[in-house]
Amino acid sequence: MKNVAGDLPETTKNRFRPARGMAAGIAVCALTAALSGCVLSASSVFAADKKKSRDVFAMDTYMTLTAYGDHADEAIDGAVEEIHRLDALLTTGSGTSEVGQINEAQQNSYLLSEDTASLMESSLLLYEATDGAFDLTVYPLMKLWGFTDGNFRVPSQEEIDAALGVVGADAIEYDASSGRVTFDKNGMEIDFGGIAKGYTSDRLMELFRENGVESAIVSLGGNVQALGKKPDGSPWKVGIQTPEEDGRYLGIVEIEDQAVITSGGYERFFEEDGRTYHHILDPETGYPAESGLLSVTIVSPDGTLADGLSTSLFVMGEEKAVDFWKAHGEAFGFEFVLLTDEGRLLASDGLRDALTSDYAKIEWVEG
Ligand code: ADP
Ligand code: MG
């Protein structure tokens, strides 16, 4: 909890960085940085542009929403409502949420709503494409490790083996035409935590557009997505936070109509007997993924995909992640930035014009 307001979200990863020389912007930044999205607004420069910002706590994290233009006010109101609606739908802790009901329905089929159907489709697609690195059925393992209620502990191998018995999205029967889902195995449970924030920011971009907003940026616990360009016509600059969360950046990426989403083992973790255990699990072993990566950032126009892939590539590790990008980067439309535990910084070729780093020399990976 080291930043300004002393109450920083643990999932804060990406921050906006001031454009050079914008002293007024920097002051704004210092005040709002604690809420993880410091929009350096050009608003001080282009006073004619109406700007509306709002901080929200939802989905267990701090969020900052900013929209520009004449419709910014209504758009932000709508966005806040939408966040709370999705939060209530997707929260795992409650039997009344839709996800809670799906998990209670177990082997009885459950009819998904539009949002959960879309999340289910994305999750199953990711499961297939990533060879199971992304698996929405890891929830029983998340519970076992205490990540769901904060009662952290290292489970016994027997417990892990038992939980692994009900992990594996191939045991989900989902009929896309009817929207019905059924679990094949008793005791299975799902959780959209690996893509929920990306899905939410996608929805917010849609909502902004529908409201006539052309320029907006949101940070949902450090997961950033932007609509259009900054009001002054320049690209948004998003700083990718270091695992040390020391205020430095791994790099600065310039974006337009894109999401920048980071997964790292430093966000949510506990320590026991001198070892660190984090919240991104390897569905194969049932243990926190130890793939040699400290963080994975995905840049893509598709927030849901970016969120799912940041989790997935973190599980895969450098070699598989790079291969995955080579095989699917173009079709899926995404670029990556990886930080290895040796301090190497790798980035995919498509970011050459968008990414700079003072942190380390970038190793460019070509397709
Ligand atoms: P964060 O939500 O902290 O930004 P991620 O997007 O990487 O980070 O999502 C981590 C969340 O995804 C976990 O809290 C858990 O709910 C879920 N999860 C953990 N491991 C996996 C996995 N291998 N596949 C899919 N979801 C996972
Ligand atoms: Mg994710």
Side-chain angles (χ1 to χ4, degrees):
M1 303 289 108
K2 14 196 132 99
N3 265 339
V4 196
D7 194 21
L8 252 188
E10 56 198 337
T11 52
T12 296
K13 289 154 291 202
N14 310 312
R15 302 239 175 76
F16 306 102
R17 185 198 200 221
R20 274 195 189 96
M22 283 182 55
I26 291 164
V28 172
C29 182
L31 288 173
T32 55
L35 294 163
S36 87
C38 179
V39 178
L40 286 179
S41 59
S43 66
S44 43
V45 181
F46 295 86
D49 265 302
K50 282 192 198 139
K51 172 188 171 188
K52 180 80 182 180
S53 267
R54 186 91 63 84
D55 299 321
V56 185
F57 186 84
M59 299 184 176
D60 226 9
T61 195
Y62 291 92
M63 307 182 169
T64 303
L65 319 176
T66 304
Y68 295 87
D70 289 340
H71 304 286
D73 263 330
E74 311 97 87
I76 293 286
D77 287 347
V80 172
E81 227 172 87
E82 180 66 356
I83 288 169
H84 290 307
R85 185 185 73 81
L86 289 172
D87 193 7
L89 202 69
L90 302 178
T91 182
T92 43
S94 135
T96 56
S97 75
E98 191 174 330
V99 169
Q101 287 171 25
I102 298 167
N103 287 335
E104 270 171 26
Q106 289 288 314
Q107 284 157 299
N108 298 317
S109 90
Y110 187 92
L111 184 61
L112 300 184
S113 70
E114 206 179 310
D115 293 289
T116 46
S118 173
L119 283 157
M120 180 63 75
E121 272 157 44
S122 300
S123 298
L124 293 177
L125 182 114
L126 281 161
Y127 174 75
E128 291 289 326
T130 64
D131 225 353
F134 188 92
D135 194 328
L136 77 163
T137 67
V138 295
Y139 195 67
L141 287 164
M142 292 296 288
K143 287 209 285 198
L144 203 53
W145 285 92
F147 286 111
T148 53
D149 60 6
N151 290 319
F152 304 120
R153 65 189 193 91
V154 179
S156 69
Q157 191 59 49
E158 289 73 38
E159 289 174 299
I160 288 184
D161 289 342
L164 280 173
V166 292
V167 170
D170 44 356
I172 290 183
E173 301 295 332
Y174 175 63
D175 177 26
S177 57
S178 67
R180 287 209 167 267
V181 67
T182 320
F183 296 165
D184 277 352
K185 293 182 190 165
N186 196 27
M188 286 178 68
E189 282 180 285
I190 61 161
D191 159 26
F192 294 117
I195 53 169
K197 277 177 268 166
Y199 177 79
T200 303
S201 55
D202 271 340
R203 285 286 308 132
L204 298 184
M205 298 302 115
E206 250 173 73
L207 225 144
F208 287 151
R209 263 190 220 105
E210 285 164 17
N211 276 281
V213 169
E214 290 173 1
S215 174
I217 190 151
V218 301
S219 167
L220 312 188
N223 294 322
V224 174
Q225 192 160 353
L227 178 69
K229 302 178 193 170
K230 293 206 300 193
D232 67 0
S234 65
W236 302 99
K237 290 185 168 67
V238 178
I240 304 168
Q241 196 181 336
T242 61
E244 296 83 27
E245 305 192 57
D246 54 3
R248 290 192 299 160
Y249 301 108
L250 278 188
I252 308 291
V253 55
E254 294 193 342
I255 56 160
E256 183 186 328
D257 279 321
Q258 277 170 312
V260 182
I261 296 189
T262 302
S263 285
Y266 54 90
E267 295 160 22
R268 251 171 238 240
F269 62 88
F270 69 96
E271 283 167 1
E272 195 173 299
D273 298 331
R275 292 204 49 182
T276 303
Y277 301 92
H278 60 72
H279 75 313
I280 301 175
L281 302 180
D282 183 340
E284 212 160 300
T285 62
Y287 274 77
E290 281 185 52
S291 64
L293 293 179
L294 296 183
S295 90
V296 174
T297 300
I298 303 290
V299 181
S300 169
D302 184 331
T304 310
L305 183 83
D307 195 354
L309 288 181
S310 69
T311 310
S312 311
L313 269 60
F314 184 87
V315 172
M316 288 178 193
E318 175 183 338
E319 211 182 293
K320 282 191 191 161
V322 166
D323 288 347
F324 184 86
W325 175 75
K326 286 182 179 171
H328 303 289
E330 213 166 324
F332 282 2
F334 78 94
E335 305 293 338
F336 69 73
V337 182
L338 308 179
L339 178 67
T340 74
D341 55 13
E342 306 153 321
R344 289 164 52 233
L345 190 64
L346 289 84
S348 57
D349 202 36
L351 291 176
R352 259 185 215 269
D353 296 334
L355 178 74
T356 53
S357 176
D358 296 336
Y359 184 87
K361 187 175 178 311
I362 303 170
E363 293 178 33
W364 293 105
V365 177
E366 288 173 22

